[in-house]
Amino acid sequence: MKTVWIRADASSSIGAGHITRCIALAEELREAGVSARFICRKLEGDLIAFINKRGFVAETMAGDSGDWTLLEDASKTCAVIEKYGGEADWVIIDLLDNGIEMDSALRSVARNILAIDDHADRKRDCDIIVNPHFFPSAEQKYKTLTPPDCVTLAGLRHALVRSEFRKARQEGLNKRNNEIKRILVSFGGSDCAGLPDKVIEALLPFGKAGIKVDMIMGFGDHDSNSSVDYDGANITFHSFVDDMVSITEKADIVIGAYGVSTMERMLLGAPSIIITISESQMALARILAEAGYAVYLGSGHDVTPDKIAGAINRLKDDPYTLRFISKTIMERVDGLGAKRVVKQMGL
């Protein structure tokens, strides 16, 4: 049986997206009869239990969870792979700030390297590079950043979304009736201290007016002693949710950060109001909004409750735009990205 190792992390600072999109790939690999195994660091909010629940093994690396250089990370990753027999058919790398140093170091244990990249701003040594964002200039940029024979898979056609979202897609648009009756708030697994209270303040009038609000709380998001008054507002708080499909498809709009969950919402036709929680998200969120695929309000540090409420009201008062966004984003993300990537891997 062919073997693929996946090097990816999640944490309260990194978020959950790197792991969830790698699970999408791992599930397609499993369907193709390939053994997919994860290598992760033990961190707060690492999602190792979630990986195991999806039926995959997650090996952890020796040593503490402090800051490592890319070469130290590569060395520890190689040690895990060598422990299980050495050379892998493929190693998939999906890490923040990764670059050519780690790619090249992993060549000693991998016949092929697949890199998942978000920004096209550094050199890579890989056989396939996947940039799953709406990023029109990505293919041109990678020509100078990757080896001549590297295959570039860029754009929303290669969005890495788990299979359960694809299965729910057919019913997604039919359930949307151009009204806002339910709002989902989710900023992924990241710690975005302070932002949820701004969102709650913005949503209180809507909740009191009968609009249902679901808030998925991340690590350290919410202080139970918050002074915000929820009395009379129809707001339900959730901890980390395994079944994101059900809660997303019920939502008429979603307020959240930019990331993998943005593609999940697009697949289900749920328009996004995006508030970025890191500088790295800003350019991609802006490009998506300029194309008409989302509403972008800027950084969580700068956004105000009034600005959030204003964006909701504009969509609420314009059912044509709400419907147009739903239809358009579903056309852009079809949920087959992981299948396309695995096919290109020749597995």
Side-chain angles (χ1 to χ4, degrees):
M1 178 181 286
K2 292 186 176 181
T3 302
V4 174
W5 286 93
I6 300 170
R7 176 69 189 93
D9 291 325
S11 75
S12 58
S13 59
I14 297 168
H18 296 274
I19 291 295
T20 58
R21 67 186 178 187
C22 283
I23 284 175
L25 269 180
E27 289 177 339
E28 291 300 335
L29 288 165
R30 183 165 57 192
E31 284 290 314
V34 176
S35 172
R37 301 170 71 95
F38 285 76
I39 302 174
C40 304
R41 294 173 68 183
K42 289 184 70 66
L43 302 166
E44 181 187 5
D46 54 32
L47 296 188
I48 289 173
F50 181 62
I51 294 169
N52 296 154
K53 188 173 181 179
R54 303 292 293 213
F56 299 102
V57 172
E59 300 290 341
T60 56
M61 293 185 289
D64 62 33
S65 59
D67 291 333
W68 298 337
T69 67
L70 290 175
L71 288 179
E72 287 172 331
D73 195 311
S75 176
K76 292 174 184 291
T77 301
C78 288
V80 172
I81 296 173
E82 287 166 354
K83 178 182 173 183
Y84 288 91
E87 194 173 50
D89 294 285
W90 285 85
V91 170
I92 296 171
I93 312 169
D94 188 359
L95 296 172
L96 281 175
D97 301 323
N98 191 33
I100 193 169
E101 299 92 344
M102 185 170 182
D103 297 339
S104 298
L106 290 175
R107 290 286 185 189
S108 66
V109 294
R111 296 186 185 95
N112 301 282
I113 301 283
L114 185 150
I116 302 175
D117 185 68
D118 295 317
H119 302 293
D121 62 355
R122 67 199 66 193
K123 287 187 176 293
R124 304 300 300 262
D125 177 14
C126 52
D127 301 282
I128 297 176
I129 193 157
V130 180
N131 185 312
H133 303 279
F134 181 70
F135 193 164
S137 63
E139 287 198 34
Q140 187 63 35
K141 287 190 173 187
Y142 284 123
K143 288 181 180 179
T144 61
L145 297 173
T146 57
D149 56 350
C150 177
V151 175
T152 297
L153 303 177
L156 295 173
R157 273 176 53 81
H158 302 102
L160 303 175
V161 181
R162 287 170 286 157
S163 58
E164 59 262 38
F165 284 90
R166 184 177 69 247
K167 292 171 184 175
R169 179 177 186 267
Q170 299 303 320
E171 301 177 16
L173 191 56
N174 294 333
K175 291 182 177 179
R176 305 197 178 281
N177 57 9
N178 307 349
E179 295 181 273
I180 297 179
K181 295 182 177 180
R182 191 163 194 154
I183 299 172
L184 171 63
V185 180
S186 175
F187 288 93
S190 298
D191 181 351
C192 42
L195 180 55
D197 281 343
K198 291 183 182 180
V199 177
I200 290 168
E201 184 177 339
L203 290 174
L204 282 176
F206 298 98
K208 290 179 179 179
I211 293 176
K212 293 182 179 180
V213 177
D214 293 292
M215 289 200 67
I216 300 176
M217 310 308 291
F219 306 104
D221 271 351
H222 181 58
D223 180 358
S224 60
N225 296 317
S226 169
S227 61
V228 178
D229 178 16
Y230 310 131
D231 185 40
N234 197 354
I235 299 177
T236 303
F237 294 92
H238 307 266
S239 58
F240 185 82
V241 175
D242 282 349
D243 184 10
M244 282 299 297
V245 174
S246 295
I247 200 165
T248 304
E249 66 181 351
K250 290 174 184 174
D252 298 302
I253 60 171
V254 182
I255 301 172
Y258 179 87
V260 175
S261 59
T262 308
M263 285 73 163
E264 294 170 350
R265 301 169 211 153
M266 292 178 75
L267 181 63
L268 296 180
S272 291
I273 295 175
I274 298 174
I275 303 170
T276 48
I277 56 176
S278 71
E279 188 174 345
S280 64
Q281 298 176 355
M282 292 179 180
L284 292 169
R286 191 175 298 113
I287 292 169
L288 198 70
E290 287 172 353
Y293 301 154
V295 175
Y296 177 43
L297 299 186
S299 164
H301 294 293
D302 302 325
V303 75
T304 64
D306 285 346
K307 192 171 184 179
I308 298 167
I312 297 169
N313 275 319
R314 283 190 293 276
L315 288 175
K316 185 171 175 288
D317 295 340
D318 189 355
Y320 172 81
T321 296
L322 194 64
R323 176 73 176 182
F324 177 80
I325 294 174
S326 290
K327 185 174 185 297
T328 303
I329 59 181
M330 287 189 79
E331 291 171 351
R332 296 296 178 267
V333 179
D334 63 8
L336 298 174
K339 282 186 177 295
R340 293 186 180 103
V341 172
V342 170
K343 183 178 180 180
Q344 186 64 52
M345 293 170 74
L347 299 171

